[in-house]
Amino acid sequence: MTTTAVPTLQDKAVEQPGSLQLFLRYLRRNKGLAVGLLILLGLVLFTAIGLMTINPKHAYPLAVATKKPPSLQFPFGTDFFGRDLRAAMVVGMWQTAVIGVIAGGLGTLIGVVLGFLSAYFGGKVDALIRTVCQILTPIPVLLIQVVIAGSLDKRDVTIFTMALIVVLLAWMGPTLVIRAQVLTMKERQFVAVAKLSGVSDMGIIFKEILPNLLPFIAAAFVGQVFAAVFASFYLAVLGLGPLREPLLGNIIWAAQLQGAFFNGWWWWPIGPSVAMILILGSLALINMGLDELANPRVRRTE
């Protein structure tokens, strides 16, 4: 007579892969997310190492010799205004990251709060939030941002001002996404059990629903950072950003204004343009990868 060995808790722990192992396995399956994270890591390293090695003053006008092509002394060259373009790109990428994180974080936070208020409590609050979102959603965000940025005194515009301009309409997307998820989640059995057990509304929100929505919130945050970075780019390229700061869009705008390509200063707009493409491309790939991770309907299996 043969006996079947009963697996112990230790055996089960060995058999079950950890969170890191599952994530690495998911990265092998989701090449887009892996590529996006690698590009973003490279950009972070470029900025971090650059901030430790450059002279920040060289990112501003009249700091170095003008119109110098790339060389050992100036790997990215210098521009018409006497800025070291490597230093300008390092500082500009850091400032772009600040705008993206502030605007994306505030937009996501406001969206999460409004989404929970609307879906969980319902009633007049839900009707008001839905109505505001339905009215504002069709309005072109670019148009509103251009009008607001264009009405400000350029001397008063800072990277924090740009972040606030971007975040004005950045909360609608996360609000609608979180509202839809909470409406589905609050009808689940575990929420009903929590209510019968006497758990308060705040306890249900923070202990039962919110942890299950973290993948959606992470995806919404990355999406808002992408939108904020893109908005900071096109506002700066239009000349509506803080003109003295070396934002990537400002560098491209100044190169266009001075006719860089026509005058043979080809290196001036090339670096910021490539950096812009890499930043937006990496954020887009990460956003799509997180969306697949959060949404079971589009999630692939091995």
Side-chain angles (χ1 to χ4, degrees):
M1 180 177 180
T2 59
T3 58
T4 304
V6 178
T8 63
L9 293 176
Q10 184 176 1
D11 295 333
K12 292 182 178 180
V14 172
E15 293 173 1
Q16 294 178 352
S19 300
L20 178 59
Q21 187 177 355
L22 288 174
F23 182 69
L24 293 176
R25 187 182 300 173
Y26 179 76
L27 285 181
R28 286 196 298 268
R29 187 169 69 247
N30 191 322
K31 298 296 191 297
L33 178 59
V35 172
L37 289 174
L38 284 176
I39 296 174
L40 186 62
L41 178 61
L43 293 170
V44 170
L45 289 176
F46 172 81
T47 305
I49 295 173
L51 289 173
M52 293 185 291
T53 57
I54 66 165
N55 184 350
K57 294 181 180 179
H58 290 176
Y60 295 91
L62 304 178
V64 295
T66 63
K67 299 174 286 186
K68 294 292 183 181
S71 62
L72 291 177
Q73 183 179 5
F74 304 113
F76 291 83
T78 66
D79 65 6
F80 178 84
F81 302 104
R83 295 182 295 188
D84 180 357
L85 289 176
R86 175 174 174 264
M89 284 182 58
V90 169
V91 175
M93 290 176 69
W94 166 250
Q95 293 176 339
T96 300
V98 171
I99 294 173
V101 171
I102 291 177
L106 286 177
T108 304
L109 178 62
I110 295 172
V112 169
V113 172
L114 293 180
F116 269 98
L117 288 175
S118 177
Y120 189 83
F121 296 102
K124 294 182 179 179
V125 175
D126 182 32
L128 175 62
I129 294 175
R130 278 192 298 109
T131 302
V132 172
C133 289
Q134 289 171 354
I135 293 174
L136 295 179
T137 298
I139 300 176
V141 176
L142 170 61
L143 177 61
I144 301 299
Q145 291 171 340
V146 168
V147 170
I148 295 175
S151 63
L152 298 177
D153 188 340
K154 297 297 180 293
R155 294 171 295 182
D156 298 330
V157 177
T158 65
I159 58 174
F160 301 105
T161 308
M162 288 194 69
L164 293 177
I165 293 173
V166 173
V167 82
L168 286 177
L169 297 176
W171 52 269
M172 292 184 297
T175 297
L176 296 175
V177 170
I178 298 302
R179 177 183 178 274
Q181 296 301 323
V182 174
L183 284 174
T184 303
M185 198 73 66
K186 75 174 187 178
E187 302 299 330
R188 300 283 179 86
Q189 186 175 3
F190 67 88
V191 175
V193 171
K195 289 182 178 179
L196 292 175
S197 302
V199 180
S200 64
D201 288 334
M202 292 296 103
I204 292 174
I205 289 174
F206 286 102
K207 295 181 180 180
E208 303 294 338
I209 299 179
L210 186 60
N212 290 285
L213 293 183
L214 290 180
F216 293 95
I217 295 174
F221 171 71
V222 175
Q224 290 306 305
V225 172
F226 174 88
V229 170
F230 184 68
S232 71
F233 281 153
Y234 64 64
L235 288 176
V237 169
L238 293 175
L240 298 176
L243 299 183
R244 177 172 169 76
E245 298 299 332
L247 287 171
L248 299 180
N250 281 349
I251 299 175
I252 297 173
W253 173 74
Q256 292 176 336
L257 201 64
Q258 299 297 326
F261 278 115
F262 293 103
N263 288 292
W265 310 324
W266 53 268
W267 60 88
W268 187 356
I270 290 295
S273 300
V274 172
M276 182 187 303
I277 293 171
L278 290 176
I279 293 172
L280 293 176
S282 65
L283 290 175
L285 289 172
I286 293 172
N287 188 35
M288 289 186 291
L290 290 177
D291 183 64
E292 179 183 328
L293 183 63
N295 190 349
R297 294 182 179 180
V298 298
R299 190 180 302 161
R300 295 175 293 180
T301 57
E302 290 180 319

